[in-house]
Amino acid sequence: MGNALRRLVDDGVLSAEQRDAVLAAVAAEETARPSTGKLLVEVAAYAGAVALAIAEAVSELSGALGAAGFVLIVGAVLLAAGAIAMTRSPRRSD
C-alpha cells in the first residue's frame, strides 16, 4: 500500500499529510483486527465445544449412530466452522 500512496502523492492526487492520515487509519484498523492465530484459536474452541455437545448427544444415541455417525457429524461441524472462518477473514489487496 505504501508504494501506491507514494505514487498518488508524486502525481499530486494526495498530499503528504493525507497519505500519513491514510497510513495511520490503516495501521489503527490492523491493530484492532484479531490476528489469524487468535482467530484460529477461537474457531478451535468453538469447534471443541460443539464436538463435546455432539459427543454427549451421540453417547445417548450410540445404538443409532455409533462412532461413524459421530465422526461424520464432527467433520461436518468442523467443515462449517472453517467455511465461516474463511468468509469472515480479512482479504488483503495491495
Side-chain angles (χ1 to χ4, degrees), residues 2 11 36 40 44 47-48 57 61 91-92 94:
D11 293 343
T36 303
L40 291 176
L61 301 171
R91 306 241 190 270
R92 295 200 132 205
D94 285 14

Side-chain angles (χ1 to χ4, degrees), residues 12-69:
V13 176
L14 291 176
S15 69
E17 293 80 19
Q18 290 170 324
R19 178 202 59 214
D20 294 341
V22 169
L23 289 173
V26 170
E29 183 178 308
E30 287 181 354
T31 58
R33 185 181 321 149
S35 69
T36 303
K38 287 182 182 180
L39 180 64
L40 291 176
V41 168
E42 186 175 353
V43 168
Y46 283 119
V50 170
L52 288 175
I54 291 172
E56 180 65 30
V58 168
S59 69
E60 293 176 13
L61 301 171
S62 61
L65 291 175

